[in-house]
Amino acid sequence: MSLSGWKRILCSRKQLRIEITLACGQSFRWHETRPNEWTSVLADRVFTLSQTDSHLLYKVHGTDCGDWEEIPLLHADNADLAGVPHLQTENRRLAGVPRSTKRKNASFAAKNPQKKPRGGATSGRGGGDQKDGVGAARRGDDDGSENILRDYFQLDIDVERLYERWSDADENFARVAPRFIGVRMLRQDPVENLFSFICSSNNNIARIAGMVERMCTRYGEPLPVVGGATYHAFPGVAALAADGVEGELRALGFGYRAKYVAASARWIAANGGEAWLRGLRGVPYARAHAELTKLTGVGAKVADCVCLMSLDKTGAIPVDTHVWQIASRDYMPHLKKVKSVNDKVYKEIGEFFRDLFGPYAGWAHSVLFSADLKKFEDASKPKQQPSGRPPITEAN
């Protein structure tokens, strides 16, 4: 198979490995539809992604993408981190400007309102509010799809250099890193990220993915059919706040999580709508975390998942039983005596990793988390094409 029909973004596997990043429990809608091909919905478009050693490949299916304006990518220039583009040290935290994504499509514009530059200081070490400043997106992207992917994968962040710094700081990370290169944090839509993780309570990745798909099928707008499957946009807050949603979700197998979804949607709708949620990108970590925990079914861990995965709080550390086990086994042996993750232990683990790894501690934590998952035991090498299918090559 040649690259015919695929568009390309220069991006080595050391910067991104999609087979880990898309399957490590950050997002629940990516499916490997063919070997080394992953399909999902981003910004109301159906994307299929693949990868070579040097490029991220993508296709956008069956839609007239229309006329898109430029999408700014966030970064911070900092001479204190020479050679590490777009990072900021803890002793030089600046006020930032949140992303503004604009599309001449009313439904998308409603989900992505323009933001005003945020003012004031960032949150300090607690959350690592690092995505400060604005970098121009590429202008050669006719329909905006490349810029959507660059923003989603946060390709303005040099993760290879971050790995070097984390490896210098931690011998355990240095042992893990060569086998798990290119693990990145996704920059997800906050609405999708929040309601997906509300479904994560006492759940596993496969079941969460099933719930999210049923939610999208029931309440999301239909998108193009790809490979015989109809894809749907993620539903907006208004759809999830409508009368009868809780009962319908219970009938779809959500159990007690149905109440959490419906109640949280109603609270958001009554307190500023989606603009309130997206606006949390522009406030310090501590405030964003506290605001999120006002929602039914959102505790400290879900709030940290949303802070890290969609609200640009790069130092947020979601602590679940798995992370607790990693911490007690490899870093904090005194925690082996602790029977459960209480508030004190939760905060202690977060502070430890922030002290160890710095402003992007949440990203480093995700690498350690992925490396400890049984599903990735064979991930010491990037996936290879099966022998029955020709590999994607750089030839045209």
Side-chain angles (χ1 to χ4, degrees), residues 71-127:
I71 299 175
L73 297 178
L74 295 167
H75 70 273
D77 295 315
N78 187 348
D80 294 336
L81 286 174
V84 186
H86 321 317
L87 303 186
Q88 176 182 324
T89 56
E90 290 181 290
N91 63 354
R92 188 169 178 265
R93 297 183 183 277
L94 308 175
V97 181
R99 179 181 67 163
S100 171
T101 303
K102 298 188 290 182
R103 181 185 183 185
K104 294 179 180 178
N105 175 290
S107 64
F108 186 83
K111 295 182 181 179
N112 294 269
Q114 288 182 273
K115 311 292 194 308
K116 295 180 180 179
R118 65 184 175 190
T122 54
S123 64
R125 62 191 295 281

Side-chain angles (χ1 to χ4, degrees), residues 54 97 245 250 257 273:
S54 59
V97 181
V245 167
R250 286 186 182 276
R257 304 169 195 86

Side-chain angles (χ1 to χ4, degrees), residues 26-264:
Q26 296 185 55
S27 174
F28 304 100
R29 300 197 68 194
W30 288 98
H31 301 286
E32 192 172 19
T33 46
R34 297 180 67 184
N36 195 34
E37 292 185 17
W38 297 77
T39 302
S40 187
V41 176
L42 295 178
D44 296 346
R45 305 181 183 192
V46 182
F47 282 82
T48 293
L49 306 181
S50 190
Q51 191 168 30
T52 68
D53 288 340
S54 59
H55 287 83
L56 174 65
L57 311 177
Y58 69 95
K59 295 179 179 179
V60 185
H61 299 279
T63 182
D64 179 5
C65 296
D67 185 13
W68 279 69
E69 298 182 21
E70 183 176 358
I71 299 175
L73 297 178
L74 295 167
H75 70 273
D77 295 315
N78 187 348
D80 294 336
L81 286 174
V84 186
H86 321 317
L87 303 186
Q88 176 182 324
T89 56
E90 290 181 290
N91 63 354
R92 188 169 178 265
R93 297 183 183 277
L94 308 175
V97 181
R99 179 181 67 163
S100 171
T101 303
K102 298 188 290 182
R103 181 185 183 185
K104 294 179 180 178
N105 175 290
S107 64
F108 186 83
K111 295 182 181 179
N112 294 269
Q114 288 182 273
K115 311 292 194 308
K116 295 180 180 179
R118 65 184 175 190
T122 54
S123 64
R125 62 191 295 281
D129 304 293
Q130 291 300 299
K131 295 183 73 63
D132 296 326
V134 175
R138 293 171 63 92
R139 296 182 179 276
D141 184 13
D142 292 340
D143 65 6
S145 295
E146 178 176 337
N147 288 334
I148 290 170
L149 291 174
R150 286 182 175 276
D151 182 69
Y152 184 68
F153 287 112
Q154 307 192 76
L155 296 182
D156 54 336
I157 304 300
D158 186 350
V159 79
E160 185 177 0
R161 185 64 182 274
L162 282 174
Y163 268 58
E164 293 173 2
R165 290 181 175 268
W166 295 331
S167 295
D168 288 342
D170 176 29
E171 292 181 358
N172 183 58
F173 190 94
R175 288 192 295 270
V176 168
R179 297 183 295 112
F180 285 85
I181 61 173
V183 179
R184 308 183 69 90
M185 293 309 305
L186 303 174
R187 188 172 192 252
Q188 300 180 57
D189 174 80
V191 174
E192 177 174 341
N193 186 210
L194 170 64
F195 286 99
S196 295
F197 274 91
I198 286 177
C199 296
S200 71
S201 175
N202 295 315
N203 223 338
N204 58 53
I205 291 176
R207 289 192 65 214
I208 299 166
M211 289 181 179
V212 171
E213 282 308 306
R214 292 194 292 276
M215 187 189 304
C216 293
T217 300
R218 176 65 182 84
Y219 300 107
E221 293 294 324
L223 297 173
V225 175
V226 179
T230 299
Y231 287 80
H232 294 79
F234 197 90
V237 167
L240 297 176
D243 292 342
V245 167
E246 180 180 344
E248 292 170 352
L249 290 178
R250 286 186 182 276
L252 291 173
F254 280 61
Y256 62 87
R257 304 169 195 86
K259 177 181 178 180
Y260 296 169
V261 170
S264 291

Side-chain angles (χ1 to χ4, degrees), residues 263-277:
S264 291
R266 289 194 299 269
W267 191 98
I268 294 171
N271 290 274
E274 294 185 9
W276 167 82
L277 179 57

